[in-house]
Amino acid sequence: MGELGLPLPMLAAGAGHIGEQLIALGGAFLAAGLLARAGRRIGLPTIPFFIIAGIIFGPNTPGVVLVEDPETLALLASLGLVLLLFHLGLEFSLGEFTSGGAPLIKAGFIYLALNVGGGVAFGFALGWGTAEALVIAGAVGISSSAIVTKVLIELRRLANPETRMILGIVVVEDIFLALYLAVLAPFLNPDAGGLEAFLLFLRAFGFLLLLFAIARFGAKWVGKLLDTPDPELLVVLFLGLAVLVAGTSEELGVSDAIGAFMVGLIVAETAVKHRVEELVLPIRDAFAAVFFFWFGLSISPDGLAAVALPVAAAVVLSLILNPAAGIIVAKVNGLGRVAAVNIGTTVLSRGEFSIIIAALAASAGLDERITPFVALYVLILAIVSPLLASKSKRVAKILPKRWFPRPSGAAGSTAR
Amino acid sequence: MQLDIEVQDLPGIGKRYEVHGEHGGRVAVVIHNTGRRDVYAFDGGKGADPDAEDDDAQAVVEFSDQQARKLGAILGGAYFKPSVVEEIEAVIDDLLIEWVTLDDNSPLVGHSLTGLDVRQKTGMTIVAIVRDRHAITMPEADEVLEGGDRLVVVGVRKDFKAFQELIGEAGDLG
């Protein structure tokens, strides 16, 4: 608490007094919520503001310090991470993936090839290490489902033809994220050597297969375990299952994130799926906010300044690769230049997935610059992407019209 | 006229239904998994900008689940049926069950059912009156009709024309 700070020593929580911890948690919720509400007024997504609240009210900036030691919130924050991925698994359906058909899957692959490919090259070019390069590739290459969906709804583009392409890309990215977390697992174990890393990969893979098998063949029994007409009991039971499997996964060297995703997949196959979907949302939103706030706590202005150049380079790279993917997808599907820009600028948003990957890297003890790097990168793109997407008509004027030969007449009446 | 409704999945959001208008234009209805409904209108007629490059909707209205149901009922004619449409109603073989709304100028307004002698004059029977959202089934003979009453009538199809003339609706039918 410096001279600039308010004389509120009781706000700074250490371990011990439960009152202090409650004040820290309540303050975190309120600070994050109020800041994000201000952001929503001007049409910006919530995630960057949750992180900014963590930075402002964390120990690394002057002013009010709500949480002195990020460890205080670590358990609740990881509950947020577990619920984010549990919900992702729950919502995930292979039917949605295949119903859109080849064009959507192709769009997803074009996007990933460019962005994760570019991310890998960029990660290695930074020279922070192999594991670090893979982490950065994932953080730079994968869009934020949450922000993309919100942007589409708020810009009222749900009925546009390119929107299906955008959602197709996001669905493919969701699957990719799950697989990528599995691939990353051995790299995130700092002690592993060559053979050991391979064995760890096998163990992680085996555990994943087991969970897949349960999702495919054992969902009935899981359904029996959870099913109760009482919503109160259902909440308690599915939370218990999700957190237990996430913890077990973490202990087995698969991350808690992917364990939670797999439980989500399993519950999605049961009869209680739709009820759980409804019940999990408010809890997920609450603890996800804690997760993002907690992520901001460990970030200092100095740390951000130190990675400003690499972040600027990554932002420029994304500002090239995302519209490039948008243009290719639009051309392949016979869409116009505004549609191309809509695709490119909407999927440009980065948020929860980048933060999740960075948090896993931090807990594995990788290069300390990853956390501020991903934080700054996400802060910039989570704000730039919705702004650009809302101005897509003007942005589209940069592209030559002749790149997009279209049938004449109003776009809306001809496009499907 | 295109009666096909196009349905598409919107992964993570819900489903989208598209209906084309009779003279161009189309409406897309997005049903969110949360129950929210969005109605997107695309102008295909004079209002559409021929130079428009984007596919953004000209108007979007958001409805809650309850409001959407109400709108659906309005579109379905549950609140008011234009007289042209009323002709095509439930017909069971030759038996016709029909409902009509009396406007304030109808010659029937202010008269009791006995005085009107509807059955004798037209062959149709008034089996119910819906007034202020309240149904009067098997109305008594002294029931006086008011403007805005919705009459549920039963009879054979060929008699319905005479009934329409009696209530002063015939002139409205184009």
Side-chain angles (χ1 to χ4, degrees):
Chain A
M1 208 68 41
E3 290 126 85
L4 291 167
L6 296 169
L8 291 171
M10 73 288 229
L11 280 181
H17 298 297
I18 195 73
E20 288 177 2
Q21 293 191 21
L22 285 175
I23 289 170
L25 181 62
F29 272 128
L30 259 185
L34 288 175
L35 259 183
R37 190 170 77 174
R40 295 280 287 165
R41 291 243 167 90
I42 45 171
L44 293 176
T46 53
I47 295 172
F49 290 93
F50 292 157
I51 300 171
I52 291 172
I55 299 175
I56 295 176
F57 297 103
N60 299 312
T61 47
V64 180
V65 177
L66 283 170
V67 186
E68 196 73 68
D69 178 8
E71 266 314 297
T72 330
L73 282 183
L75 182 64
L76 292 175
S78 59
L79 186 57
L81 177 139
V82 164
L83 287 170
L84 274 168
L85 278 133
F86 173 71
H87 184 257
L88 184 71
L90 194 63
E91 289 280 284
F92 181 78
S93 101
L94 220 54
E96 277 185 344
F97 179 60
T98 48
S99 75
L104 299 197
I105 299 173
K106 207 158 131 195
F109 278 102
I110 292 170
Y111 185 82
L112 285 177
L114 274 173
N115 285 275
V116 178
V120 170
F122 179 80
F124 279 107
L126 274 182
W128 291 356
T130 307
E132 284 81 357
L134 292 177
V135 163
I136 283 173
V140 169
I142 302 178
S143 321
S144 157
S145 285
I147 299 178
V148 166
T149 311
K150 265 191 186 146
V151 164
L152 286 174
I153 292 175
E154 261 156 44
L155 294 180
R156 305 176 147 194
R157 290 190 181 143
L158 291 181
N160 294 25
E162 75 273 9
T163 292
R164 298 204 71 223
M165 294 298 148
I166 295 173
L167 292 173
I169 291 172
V170 171
V171 169
V172 174
E173 286 185 282
D174 289 353
I175 306 168
F176 178 79
L177 172 80
L179 296 174
Y180 201 69
L181 289 177
V183 171
L184 269 182
F187 290 98
L188 293 181
N189 191 320
D191 309 323
L195 180 67
E196 204 183 338
F198 182 68
L199 288 176
L200 273 172
F201 179 74
L202 278 190
R203 186 172 71 171
F205 196 71
F207 186 64
L208 278 182
L209 277 185
L210 173 73
L211 290 174
F212 261 120
I214 295 176
R216 182 72 186 76
F217 305 107
K220 204 170 66 185
W221 292 291
V222 177
K224 278 208 178 108
L225 177 75
L226 295 180
D227 200 2
T228 152
D230 188 345
E232 175 192 6
L233 285 174
L234 185 57
V235 171
V236 174
L237 288 172
F238 81 70
L239 263 183
L241 185 71
V243 175
L244 180 69
V245 176
T248 312
S249 307
E250 178 77 16
E251 285 300 301
L252 284 176
V254 187
S255 65
D256 48 356
I258 193 147
F261 176 80
M262 294 305 301
V263 191
L265 276 189
I266 294 171
V267 175
E269 297 299 318
T270 66
V272 292
K273 177 192 179 188
H274 294 290
R275 291 171 56 214
V276 173
E277 269 178 338
E278 258 174 59
L279 291 167
V280 74
L281 272 184
I283 327 174
R284 180 204 65 167
D285 289 346
F287 291 104
V290 176
F291 171 67
F292 296 125
F293 181 89
W294 168 81
F295 186 78
L297 288 177
S298 55
I299 293 160
S300 67
D302 291 344
L304 292 178
V307 291
L309 268 179
V311 169
V315 167
V316 169
L317 182 77
S318 297
L319 281 174
I320 295 168
L321 290 181
N322 282 273
I327 290 167
I328 295 172
V329 170
K331 278 189 74 81
V332 168
N333 293 284
L335 298 164
R337 60 177 180 176
V338 176
V341 173
N342 280 350
I343 298 172
T345 52
T346 308
V347 292
L348 173 65
S349 62
R350 295 292 180 269
E352 69 278 23
F353 298 144
S354 306
I355 306 282
I356 286 167
I357 294 174
L360 294 177
S363 69
L366 296 193
D367 195 309
E368 280 177 3
R369 286 171 292 187
I370 286 181
T371 301
F373 172 88
V374 175
L376 189 56
Y377 175 78
V378 165
L379 285 180
I380 293 172
L381 287 190
I383 289 172
V384 165
S385 157
L387 290 180
L388 284 179
S390 69
K391 301 268 179 284
S392 61
K393 265 177 255 184
R394 250 185 273 168
V395 178
K397 298 241 154 53
I398 305 168
L399 302 176
K401 218 171 180 175
R402 62 190 155 77
W403 285 10
F404 303 93
R406 300 191 72 187
S408 58
S413 55
T414 50
R416 277 293 161 275
Chain B
M1 186 164 71
Q2 203 176 338
L3 275 177
D4 295 340
I5 296 174
E6 293 162 35
V7 190
Q8 285 187 327
D9 277 320
L10 296 179
I13 293 176
K15 271 190 190 313
R16 175 170 95 199
Y17 298 83
E18 260 184 43
V19 188
H20 287 258
E22 205 173 359
H23 307 291
R26 66 196 157 97
V27 165
V29 176
V30 176
I31 304 191
H32 294 245
N33 292 332
T34 56
R36 167 180 160 178
R37 324 277 211 283
D38 293 342
V39 176
Y40 285 69
F42 297 88
D43 194 340
K46 289 173 203 148
D49 176 4
D51 298 324
E53 277 190 70
D54 61 275
D55 295 301
D56 291 356
Q58 274 78 38
V60 183
V61 186
E62 179 189 329
F63 295 100
S64 70
D65 180 68
Q66 228 178 350
Q67 292 165 324
R69 282 166 200 277
K70 209 151 221 174
L71 178 68
I74 290 171
L75 289 173
Y79 290 84
F80 170 75
K81 278 185 183 12
S83 50
V84 192
V85 176
E86 274 172 24
E87 276 194 296
I88 334 156
E89 263 316 321
V91 183
I92 306 156
D93 290 331
D94 203 28
L95 179 71
L96 178 76
I97 304 162
E98 184 56 282
W99 47 92
V100 290
T101 308
L102 291 184
D103 62 31
D104 293 337
N105 304 322
S106 169
L108 270 61
V109 169
H111 296 278
S112 71
L113 291 179
T114 350
L116 289 167
D117 214 4
V118 175
R119 199 180 313 170
Q120 287 297 352
K121 282 181 187 157
T122 68
M124 302 293 288
T125 308
I126 297 173
V127 292
I129 300 168
V130 183
R131 182 178 297 157
D132 304 330
R133 308 173 123 225
H134 177 76
I136 308 160
T137 52
M138 302 308 286
E140 298 291 328
D142 57 356
E143 188 70 50
V144 176
L145 296 177
E146 297 171 11
D149 278 358
R150 301 181 69 207
L151 310 180
V152 181
V153 292
V154 176
V156 289
R157 173 160 277 294
K158 66 176 169 56
D159 291 335
F160 186 59
K161 198 161 170 43
F163 179 76
Q164 280 181 309
E165 280 162 12
L166 181 73
I167 65 168
E169 232 196 17
D172 297 341
L173 285 172

